């Protein structure tokens, strides 16, 4: 593909974040990274310019779009000496927009995961959110940040920072929230995702990335052969609408015990009330971690030899086993079908519905505070 330098996306990207006026910063961004010219992605959504961008080093290659700040491809080495694209997605911005509510590769929020009855109370004031999951709000509602065009404010060959300002009361949430997400390729085979945000009014915030993974390759028919390990002794119990009851359930002796590596498909059909509710795994794992950045999970696919390790600062990890995927869904990249349980998600997060559960770790963000979170997906060959 032809490549070209897109200067307009590097300066004055957002009034809320200010014009990037430093000549040194702009020179570095303009000379060390390219956007990828792609007729399928070049264009406008909601009146804002959309592009495809590429990051690459010796270990990993990524393309992403500023629509939803989402990952489009993620290519990593496999045991045969080639590379495998391990995330699902589409071949054009138009397809992402038309199918925005499956969240492929996107940054989701303002509140990743579910909020029960699409409402919460903060400082005595009730807030009503958009209902897009029955009576609940999922991933920020229909006006979530996954459905917005972000501004590119800084780039290098191996890193890109995107910004979005969510206005007060967008999707029902209080406060004007200025947020940034930075994707960085690490020399050890990691894809690091750093989140920063501030608000002018007390609010709640819970951002995460919603990549759908298949380590056998995007378009492979199943993830049930993947071996998964999660460092968690409990899950958050959910009701029939997948909203937390407030109770923790120990995983020991159940289908949810991934404290040692086991195949995803080993117990997914067990007689278990929580599995029946989720039609498989769609639960928050309460991580056995202290404050700080730590390894919390690992996945391995023997077919390709690819292992993915997950590191995060977050207290929870939503494991979703693709239970609502189906053959009739719109076809993905290269016309491939993404059938039932052909992908998994490991979404680092605070707990679902935390604003309605005082016993959960708080997701409240106040003026003068800085929201900061980091997750890394690290890839190697075994």
């Amino acid at each position: 593909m032809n490549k070209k330098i897109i200067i307009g996306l590097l300066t004055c990207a957002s009034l809320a974040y200010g014009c990037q006026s430093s000549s040194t910063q702009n020179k570095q961004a303009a000379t060390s990274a390219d956007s990828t010219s792609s007729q399928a992605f070049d264009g406008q959504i909601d009146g804002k310019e959309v592009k495809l961008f590429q990051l690459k080093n010796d270990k990993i290659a990524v393309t992403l779009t500023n629509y939803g700040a989402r990952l489009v491809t993620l290519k990593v080495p496999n045991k045969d000496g080639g590379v495998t694209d391990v995330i699902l997605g589409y071949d054009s911005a138009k397809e992402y927009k038309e199918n925005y509510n499956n969240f492929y590769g996107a940054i989701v929020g303002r509140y990743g995961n579910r909020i029960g009855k699409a409402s919460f109370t903060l400082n005595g004031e009730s807030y009503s959110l958009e209902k897009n999951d029955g009576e609940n709000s999922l991933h920020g509602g229909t006006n979530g940040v996954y459905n917005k065009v972000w501004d590119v404010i800084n780039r290098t060959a191996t890193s890109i920072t995107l910004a979005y300002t969510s206005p007060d009361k967008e999707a029902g949430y209080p406060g004007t929230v200025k947020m940034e997400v930075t994707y960085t390729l690490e020399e050890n085979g990691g894809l690091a995702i750093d989140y920063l945000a501030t608000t002018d009014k007390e609010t709640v915030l819970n951002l995460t990335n919603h990549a759908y993974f298949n380590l056998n390759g995007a378009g492979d028919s199943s993830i049930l052969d993947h071996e998964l390990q999660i460092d968690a002794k409990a899950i958050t119990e959910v009701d029939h609408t997948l909203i937390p009851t407030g109770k923790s359930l120990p995983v020991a002796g159940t289908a949810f015990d991934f404290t040692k590596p086991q195949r995803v498909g080993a117990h997914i059909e067990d007689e278990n009330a929580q599995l029946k509710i989720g039609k498989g795994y769609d639960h928050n794992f309460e991580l056995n971690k202290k404050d700080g950045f730590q390894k919390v999970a690992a996945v391995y696919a023997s077919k390709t030899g690819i292992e993915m390790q997950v590191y995060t600062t977050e207290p929870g990890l939503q494991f979703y086993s693709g239970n609502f995927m189906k053959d009739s869904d719109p076809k993905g990249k290269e016309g491939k079908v993404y059938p039932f349980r052909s992908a998994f998600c490991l979404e680092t997060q605070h707990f679902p519905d935390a604003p309605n559960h005082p016993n959960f770790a708080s997701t409240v963000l106040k003026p003068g505070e800085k929201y900061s979170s980091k997750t890394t997906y690290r890839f190697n060959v075994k």
Side-chain angles (χ1 to χ4, degrees):
M1 291 184 180
N2 293 326
K3 294 184 177 179
K4 57 184 179 180
I5 305 298
I6 306 298
I7 301 297
L9 288 175
L10 301 177
T11 57
C12 300
S14 169
L15 292 175
Y17 280 85
C19 183
Q20 302 297 305
S21 58
S22 166
S23 60
T24 300
Q25 181 184 43
N26 283 339
K27 183 177 180 181
Q28 179 189 32
T31 59
S32 60
D34 295 317
S35 61
T36 301
S37 181
S38 168
Q39 186 175 358
F41 281 88
D42 294 356
Q44 289 194 345
I45 292 178
D46 298 333
K48 297 189 67 175
E49 190 173 16
V50 172
K51 289 285 183 181
L52 189 69
F53 300 89
Q54 183 179 55
L55 307 176
K56 187 176 182 180
N57 65 11
D58 292 338
K59 295 287 184 68
I60 189 170
V62 168
T63 59
L64 54 95
T65 174
N66 55 320
Y67 171 58
R70 70 182 69 225
L71 298 169
V72 175
T73 64
L74 174 51
K75 296 181 179 181
V76 302
N78 59 43
K79 68 179 182 180
D80 297 322
V83 295
T84 300
D85 182 6
V86 296
I87 61 170
L88 279 60
Y90 296 113
D91 289 325
S92 70
K94 179 176 181 289
E95 290 170 290
Y96 279 108
K97 178 62 176 176
E98 290 175 346
N99 303 290
Y100 67 87
N101 57 354
N102 63 23
F103 315 111
Y104 284 161
I107 300 299
V108 294
R110 290 190 192 183
Y111 201 96
N113 216 311
R114 295 172 174 86
I115 292 185
K117 298 181 180 178
S119 65
F120 67 93
T121 300
L122 186 61
N123 293 328
E125 185 173 350
S126 295
Y127 294 93
S128 295
L129 310 174
E130 296 173 345
K131 296 179 180 180
N132 63 333
D133 185 49
E135 291 298 304
N136 305 319
S137 184
L138 176 64
H139 296 323
T142 56
N143 278 293
V145 300
Y146 63 88
N147 199 18
K148 305 296 180 181
V149 179
W150 293 53
D151 296 306
V152 176
I153 62 171
N154 194 32
R155 287 185 291 152
T156 70
T158 57
S159 182
I160 187 169
T161 299
L162 304 101
Y164 176 70
T165 297
S166 178
D168 184 33
K169 298 300 177 63
E170 183 170 66
Y173 289 89
T176 298
V177 175
K178 298 178 180 180
M179 58 188 76
E180 295 182 7
V181 60
T182 299
Y183 292 100
T184 304
L185 303 188
E186 300 175 335
E187 293 182 358
N188 60 6
L191 170 63
I193 310 174
D194 289 275
Y195 306 84
L196 291 174
T198 58
T199 184
D200 65 355
K201 183 179 180 180
E202 193 163 334
T203 191
V204 297
L205 190 65
N206 188 34
L207 301 175
T208 191
N209 181 275
H210 207 303
Y212 283 67
F213 294 97
N214 188 319
L215 302 187
N216 291 330
D220 191 86
S221 62
S222 179
I223 45 88
L224 298 183
D225 63 334
H226 289 42
E227 293 182 3
L228 172 65
Q229 183 270 327
I230 302 176
D231 188 12
K233 293 181 181 179
I235 62 167
T236 306
E237 183 185 57
V238 294
D239 65 17
H240 70 284
T241 68
L242 291 171
I243 295 298
T245 64
K247 181 181 178 182
S248 296
L249 297 178
V251 302
T254 76
F256 291 86
D257 190 350
F258 289 96
T259 51
K260 294 182 180 179
Q262 73 167 357
R263 287 187 305 106
V264 171
H267 298 286
I268 201 168
E269 300 296 346
D270 283 10
E271 286 295 320
N272 179 289
Q274 289 292 295
L275 285 176
K276 287 184 178 180
I277 290 172
K279 303 184 187 302
Y281 298 104
D282 194 4
H283 295 75
N284 176 61
F285 283 70
E286 301 176 5
L287 299 171
N288 300 329
K289 68 184 293 295
K290 299 178 181 179
D291 290 341
F293 183 71
Q294 298 172 32
K295 180 183 174 182
V296 298
V299 193
Y300 172 68
S302 60
K303 183 176 180 179
T304 58
I306 296 171
E307 180 190 48
M308 181 178 81
Q309 300 176 351
V310 183
Y311 296 75
T312 191
T313 56
E314 292 296 300
L317 183 70
Q318 185 83 7
F319 169 40
Y320 170 58
S321 54
N323 316 305
F324 299 103
M325 303 174 72
K326 52 188 183 297
D327 290 358
S328 59
D329 289 344
K331 292 182 180 179
K333 289 181 287 188
E334 299 177 351
K336 293 178 179 178
V337 175
Y338 296 153
F340 180 59
R341 292 178 180 163
S342 63
F344 68 90
C345 302
L346 290 174
E347 303 155 71
T348 56
Q349 60 177 15
H350 271 56
F351 294 5
D353 202 34
N356 292 315
H357 294 274
N359 57 316
F360 291 175
S362 176
T363 54
V364 173
L365 180 65
K366 299 178 180 180
E369 296 179 344
K370 182 173 287 187
Y371 175 97
S372 179
S373 177
K374 180 175 182 174
T375 292
T376 294
Y377 297 103
R378 186 175 299 168
F379 299 89
N380 60 73
V381 177
K382 291 177 64 177

